[in-house]
């Protein structure tokens, strides 16, 4: 059998690439409007970075990483997420001192060894932002506003922004103890996963998707009821600013990001139409992360979202994304002489950035017209012996079927006018 893509990976084909281009250009546009600068980091890093950065009690590090030894015996891992690499890059390149608030964004493939299903792949794409240097709740609100604005601008409907606060060093330990006590009392009824990880990562039990666990956790203590005064105030201010910005959000005590370095604000954006994998975007504040990776204490807040899942959501919601015309002009040439003229003509048209294609196989006119239709050419230029003899071409509008013979001298001007007056989406 011929070789296929590895499990959990797939090709993004030319027929769907316009969706990706649309999303990628929107991401770049909106992130830059909010003052973020792009950063690109390696696809693989020292395994240690993710063990320390993501946390060794997380599903990602425990089960999902693509870890391998290179020929020099180093343990490397394909990046499972973006934040740890960006923090590493900031420390290594001393970026954190360059601005009072450093705003960075990224887009790229991530790799996690997961059970593939709809909206869950082993190679998938994420885009995200990280803002370093301020603990001000204004920045939390701005980042959440950015997340909402981006998804709304992409055309996603029925979005729900859910926020929570996870407390900090002052209030989290006492809360975690209470949560642990509660979970211990209900251990017999929790799913295997939760039983396996509750001691090391009890917050994550709040986030479990199993119906049984959800029912049990309804009465569990919530971090929001155990915040210290500072965290309480911070959370109130985040909400106050979100109200000012008219971001439609809901407080949801089950939104957790089960990593130790997350502090205070945690948030998620959920979209309808995605079934079980309905979380499109997740983020939060991580005031301990830079320090834990060897930098000087620097607060941070950010989010990441899955492009694959976002595109699925756009499709599921029937968001109409027109495919741009891949071809403005197709030159159908009959005969060797006509082919030579077609080659020169396409060169000239392309210099004017007119998307041009032509025949290379010497087929019949009928076959060439079929190709012109198939590639959705807006116009076809017909070139045969008669036209060559008269220094003309026949220009045919493929949508209306109208065609007329015009001189080769007038062709460029006529085309530019026609293409500009009814430019394609
Ligand atoms: P989940 O609970 O669905 O596993 P997560 O908490 O692991 O999500 P994050 O690490 O917060 O997800 O990643 C942020 C976003 O990246 C998710 O909201 C989702 O859109 C996307 N994402 C995560 N894992 C995958 C995957 N395996 N395939 C496709 N998209 C993914
Ligand atoms: Mg996951």
């Amino acid at each position: 059998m011929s070789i296929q893509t590895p499990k959990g990976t797939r090709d993004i084909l030319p027929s769907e690439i316009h969706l990706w281009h649309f999303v990628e250009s929107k991401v770049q546009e909106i992130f830059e409007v909010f003052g973020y600068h792009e950063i690109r980091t390696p696809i693989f890093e020292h395994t240690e970075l993710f063990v320390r950065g993501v946390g060794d009690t997380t599903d990602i590090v425990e089960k999902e990483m693509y870890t391998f030894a290179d020929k020099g015996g180093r343990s490397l891992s394909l990046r499972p997420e973006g934040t740890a690499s960006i923090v590493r890059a900031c420390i290594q390149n001393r970026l954190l001192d360059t601005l009072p608030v450093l705003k960075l964004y990224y887009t790229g493939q991530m790799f996690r060894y997961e059970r593939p299903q709809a909206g869950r792949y082993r190679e998938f794409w994420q885009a995200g932002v990280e803002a370093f240097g301020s603990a001000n709740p204004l920045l939390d609100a701005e980042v959440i506003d950015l997340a909402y604005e981006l998804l709304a601008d992409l055309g996603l409907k029925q979005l729900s922004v859910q926020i929570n606060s996870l407390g900090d060093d002052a209030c989290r330990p006492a809360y975690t103890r209470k949560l642990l006590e509660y979970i211990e009392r209900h251990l017999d009824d929790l799913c295997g996963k939760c039983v396996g990880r509750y001691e090391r990562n009890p917050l994550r039990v709040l986030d479990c998707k199993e119906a049984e666990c959800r029912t049990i956790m309804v009465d569990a203590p919530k971090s929001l009821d155990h915040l210290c005064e500072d965290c309480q105030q911070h959370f109130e201010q985040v909400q106050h600013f979100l109200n000012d910005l008219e971001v439609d959000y809901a407080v949801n005590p089950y939104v957790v990001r089960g990593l130790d370095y997350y502090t205070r604000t945690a948030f998620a954006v959920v979209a309808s139409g995605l079934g079980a994998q309905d979380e499109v975007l997740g983020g939060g504040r991580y005031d301990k992360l830079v320090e834990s990776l060897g930098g000087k204490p620097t607060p941070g807040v950010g989010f990441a979202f899955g492009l694959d899942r976002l595109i699925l959501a756009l499709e599921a919601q029937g968001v109409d994304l027109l495919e741009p015309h891949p071809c403005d002009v197709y030159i159908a040439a009959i005969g060797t002489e006509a082919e030579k003229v077609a080659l020169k003509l396409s060169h000239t048209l392309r210099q004017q950035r007119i998307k041009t294609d032509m025949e290379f196989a010497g087929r019949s006119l009928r076959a060439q017209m079929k190709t012109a239709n198939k590639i959705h050419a807006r116009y076809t230029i017909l070139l045969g012996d008669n036209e060559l003899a008269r220094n003309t071409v026949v220009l045919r509008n493929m949508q209306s079927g109208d065609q007329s013979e015009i001189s080769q001298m007038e062709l460029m001007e006529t085309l530019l006018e026609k293409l500009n007056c009814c430019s394609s989406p």
Side-chain angles (χ1 to χ4, degrees):
M1 200 174 78
S2 59
I3 298 168
Q4 309 276 305
T5 49
K7 188 170 172 184
T9 70
R10 75 226 144 97
D11 302 309
I12 297 169
L13 298 173
S15 58
E16 53 188 329
I17 202 71
H18 67 286
L19 298 171
W20 290 80
H21 287 166
F22 169 73
V23 171
E24 285 159 3
S25 64
K26 257 304 175 238
V27 163
Q28 185 176 5
E29 177 194 330
I30 306 284
F31 284 173
E32 288 180 3
V33 162
F34 275 76
Y36 286 79
H37 301 277
E38 186 179 357
I39 181 165
R40 299 186 187 188
T41 61
I43 295 251
F44 58 86
E45 299 262 8
H46 291 291
T47 301
E48 180 67 17
L49 174 67
F50 303 117
V51 173
R52 278 170 55 193
V54 179
D56 55 4
T57 63
T58 57
D59 283 355
I60 292 181
V61 170
E62 280 188 339
K63 304 192 288 251
E64 298 174 0
M65 275 210 299
Y66 278 90
T67 298
F68 59 97
D70 73 0
K71 289 189 169 37
R74 303 166 194 90
S75 177
L76 301 173
S77 295
L78 300 185
R79 61 180 183 199
E81 57 104 54
T83 308
S85 304
I86 291 187
V87 172
R88 190 234 358 101
C90 286
I91 298 170
Q92 184 174 339
N93 299 289
R94 299 182 201 285
L95 300 181
L96 293 167
D97 297 326
T98 54
L99 286 167
V101 171
L102 178 70
K103 293 173 158 185
L104 301 172
Y105 80 88
Y106 61 92
T107 317
Q109 283 110 313
M110 306 296 160
F111 304 86
R112 297 184 193 175
Y113 193 82
E114 301 209 63
R115 194 168 62 79
Q117 49 193 293
R120 197 177 284 289
Y121 310 99
R122 290 184 174 174
E123 182 195 36
F124 60 101
W125 289 76
Q126 275 188 349
V129 300
E130 320 289 354
F132 298 100
S134 173
N136 194 329
L138 278 172
L139 190 58
D140 304 54
E142 193 197 75
V143 167
I144 295 171
D145 184 41
L146 164 57
Y148 185 79
E149 198 61 30
L150 172 70
L151 297 178
D153 206 55
L154 280 163
L156 215 57
K157 292 175 287 243
Q158 289 152 295
L159 289 175
S160 140
V161 179
Q162 304 181 354
I163 65 170
N164 189 18
S165 176
L166 305 173
D168 65 3
D169 277 356
C171 50
R172 173 97 68 89
Y175 163 67
T176 311
R177 277 196 298 278
K178 285 209 169 70
L179 181 64
L180 263 176
E181 281 165 21
Y182 179 88
I183 295 172
E184 266 161 9
R185 287 205 301 277
H186 296 84
L187 217 48
D188 293 345
D189 303 314
L190 291 173
C191 76
K193 254 186 172 174
C194 287
V195 172
R197 70 186 171 201
Y198 86 103
E199 273 183 317
R200 290 178 297 159
N201 208 340
L203 275 177
R204 208 75 225 223
V205 180
L206 281 164
D207 184 31
C208 184
K209 309 280 189 290
E210 298 292 331
E212 290 276 285
C213 299
R214 283 194 174 203
T215 314
I216 290 165
M217 296 311 280
V218 168
D219 294 323
K222 306 294 182 324
S223 56
L224 283 182
D225 302 321
H226 297 84
L227 297 179
C228 59
E229 209 167 309
D230 285 352
C231 286
Q232 182 67 38
Q233 222 178 47
H234 192 273
F235 191 54
E236 275 165 19
Q237 283 182 304
V238 171
Q239 293 178 74
H240 176 78
F241 298 137
L242 288 176
N243 291 335
D244 274 354
L245 289 166
E246 296 181 12
V247 173
D248 198 7
Y249 67 89
V251 173
N252 178 349
Y254 299 96
V255 173
V256 300
R257 318 216 58 78
L259 318 184
D260 292 345
Y261 62 71
Y262 274 107
T263 43
R264 296 187 169 169
T265 315
F267 64 97
V269 185
V270 172
S272 71
L274 276 179
Q277 266 67 58
D278 63 353
E279 190 188 297
V280 179
L281 179 149
R285 179 166 275 290
Y286 44 82
D287 293 346
K288 295 280 156 215
L289 179 59
V290 177
E291 205 176 335
S292 78
L293 287 174
K296 66 169 203 235
T298 309
V301 55
F303 65 72
F305 73 94
L307 272 71
D308 311 77
R309 224 173 264 186
L310 174 83
I311 287 171
L312 281 175
L314 290 174
E315 287 173 333
Q317 293 191 354
V319 176
D320 202 12
L321 293 172
L322 292 178
E323 195 173 351
H325 274 281
C327 177
D328 293 320
V329 177
Y330 183 80
I331 308 180
I334 304 291
T336 324
E337 273 314 301
E339 280 172 359
K340 276 194 219 156
V341 176
L343 182 66
K344 275 178 76 175
L345 190 54
S346 41
H347 176 85
T348 318
L349 295 181
R350 287 167 185 152
Q351 283 184 321
Q352 296 297 319
R353 298 299 175 257
I354 295 175
K355 292 182 199 162
T356 309
D357 217 334
M358 62 172 277
E359 168 71 4
F360 293 100
R363 297 170 307 154
S364 70
L365 181 61
R366 210 179 118 88
Q368 294 192 43
M369 293 308 284
K370 244 182 164 169
T371 302
N373 270 319
K374 199 165 169 182
I375 64 174
H376 303 290
R378 297 173 68 195
Y379 288 88
T380 299
I381 290 172
L382 307 168
L383 207 53
D385 288 344
N386 292 344
E387 288 77 25
L388 281 188
R390 293 198 288 267
N391 275 329
T392 61
V393 300
V394 171
L395 184 63
R396 180 182 170 90
N397 179 324
M398 295 299 283
Q399 206 184 355
S400 66
D402 295 344
Q403 62 178 50
S404 56
E405 188 168 355
I406 56 175
S407 80
Q408 290 182 14
M409 297 279 286
E410 298 173 86
L411 176 64
M412 182 66 85
E413 205 180 322
T414 312
L415 260 178
L416 283 174
E417 201 176 290
K418 285 182 187 292
L419 290 168
N420 286 335
C421 94
C422 342
S423 59
S424 56

